[in-house]
DNA sequence: TTTTAGTGACTGGCTAGACAGTTATGGAAG
DNA sequence: CTTCCATAACTGTCTAGCCAGTCACTAAAA
């Protein structure tokens, strides 16, 4: 077997891309990303065939990481308010801990470089959350509302809460709770 | 006085930009925008000094148009649920009637080409809505939550509702009401 | 005649990706 | 154990194409 690719370099590229996307938007040049990652620009293309492929991969991994952070250490079958808050808290905590990742995600989300396939895969990563939401929805006033719509509304509330917490980290704890209360009022 | 600029051309440029931004993203070339507007590319720069200026102007005017559409034909001093729904309905109706304008707005919203000044001006355009929200907030369970946070949550809910209505126009009427009910539950 | 809009060819800078040559890796053959 | 080889990663330079904005000129308005 010939040389193996370096996971470190791969990660460095993704991290550099996250950083530069936040600083310069999606127009950030690949050369800048490579420099930030500490590799020559040519190497970037041995890890990702095109810029779009890099963005798709980044989007997917960030979404997966976010989903994993939200549902870490929680049981599948518990549908209580407290349990839901635990997940919400994990979720918000991740966003505050990695503000660049969250910002990069919102940029990538509206980009047309992200393919429907990637979006579908990202959606799949959020599946565990979906099941939980589904259960709460069915028991409350939104039982007649399409599940996708409910999910979208909750996502929107979560995003808004993340933005506000990041904007005003001093009162992050309170904003986290306020956002949750609002979301919970929405579906119960 | 020498030749006056043509309002028609100006509008054509803005309309063309809206259309192309939706189709190609913010990377849409000025030449493409000019072609779509039916003018030579040089003329675009007699109406807008730079591409960024064009985007800022477009953002501002779309936001103003949206705000005006939402608050058309409604009284300032009425704070009832019905009145709020009337505004919500106007708002959603605009989004469904002009889906491209809404989509272009969401693109522009995350762009770093939009200056803080433009954002402030756009925010001012939403002022009448803000007063209404403020009143409802103060009377409900979110009285202790910052007004900006409440506005952000409502905006997020409105956006999500717009997306879903546009996605599934067949049941737009129901989604409009469902979105409103959810938003109303949030703040009362 | 003055002033400014209209026009479209042009340009300078930038960037994604190609490429030709180099180097590390590990297995196979002796 | 040593040599050799096949493979694929590594590298920096290069280039073809694109695009925002310019400019020299013309046309219209007053």
């Amino acid at each position: 077997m010939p040389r193996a690719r370096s996971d470190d370099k791969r990660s460095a590229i993704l991290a550099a891309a996250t950083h530069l996307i936040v600083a310069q938007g999606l127009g950030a040049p690949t050369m800048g990303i490579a420099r930030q990652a500490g590799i020559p620009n040519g190497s970037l293309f041995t890890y990702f065939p095109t810029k779009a492929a890099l963005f798709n991969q980044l989007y997917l991994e960030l979404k997966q990481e976010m989903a994993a952070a939200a549902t870490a250490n929680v049981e599948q079958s518990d549908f209580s308010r407290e349990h839901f808050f635990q997940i919400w808290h994990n979720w918000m905590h991740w966003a505050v801990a990695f503000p660049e990742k969250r910002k990069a995600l919102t940029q990538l989300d509206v980009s047309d470089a992200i393919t429907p396939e990637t979006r579908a895969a990202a959606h799949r990563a959020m599946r565990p959350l979906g099941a939980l939401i589904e259960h709460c929805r069915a028991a409350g006033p939104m039982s007649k509302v399409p599940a996708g719509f409910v999910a979208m509304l909750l996502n929107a509330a979560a995003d808004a809460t993340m933005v506000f917490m990041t904007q005003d980290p001093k009162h992050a704890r309170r904003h986290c709770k306020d956002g949750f209360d609002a979301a919970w009022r929405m579906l119960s």
Side-chain angles (χ1 to χ4, degrees), chain A:
Chain A
M1 243 215 299
R3 303 171 78 163
R5 289 187 199 168
S6 151
D7 270 354
D8 282 358
K9 283 185 187 173
R10 209 191 106 95
S11 307
I13 293 170
L14 292 171
T18 304
H19 191 248
L20 266 205
I21 285 173
V22 172
Q24 309 184 21
L26 300 173
T30 54
M31 232 186 79
I33 295 173
R35 164 143 15 126
Q36 178 89 25
I39 59 163
N41 87 85
S43 291
L44 189 147
F45 292 95
T46 82
Y47 286 85
F48 303 96
T50 65
K51 191 185 188 184
L54 164 59
F55 281 1
N56 275 271
Q57 203 58 38
L58 180 59
Y59 178 76
L60 183 55
E61 298 195 11
L62 286 179
K63 265 270 162 86
Q64 286 172 336
E65 186 186 318
M66 186 177 79
T71 55
N73 302 322
V74 293
E75 285 175 31
Q76 278 283 3
S77 52
D78 186 348
F79 298 113
S80 67
R81 189 184 196 278
E82 285 70 31
H83 181 237
F84 207 117
F85 180 69
Q86 181 63 42
I87 287 172
W88 180 274
H89 184 269
N90 287 345
W91 196 1
M92 297 302 122
H93 189 267
W94 179 86
V96 168
F98 307 104
E100 285 196 334
K101 291 182 179 180
R102 200 213 80 234
K103 286 176 190 163
L105 258 183
T106 68
Q107 293 265 336
L108 290 165
D109 230 332
V110 301
S111 161
D112 50 355
I114 307 300
T115 66
E117 289 75 32
T118 303
R119 286 186 201 280
H123 190 78
R124 240 171 285 133
M126 300 284 275
R127 200 62 173 262
L129 264 176
L132 181 62
I133 290 169
E134 180 53 22
H135 194 274
C136 295
R137 178 192 67 85
M142 302 193 88
S143 58
K144 296 277 178 56
V145 179
F149 191 12
V150 177
M152 201 182 282
L153 282 166
L154 280 181
N155 238 302
D159 269 343
T161 306
M162 287 173 188
V163 169
F164 215 78
M165 286 173 74
T166 309
Q167 224 175 61
D168 176 25
K170 195 119 182 220
H171 304 105
R173 196 162 204 81
R174 193 177 338 160
H175 298 325
C176 176
K177 190 181 174 305
D178 287 341
F180 174 75
D181 288 343
W184 186 261
R185 236 175 286 126
M186 217 161 36
L187 52 76
S188 69

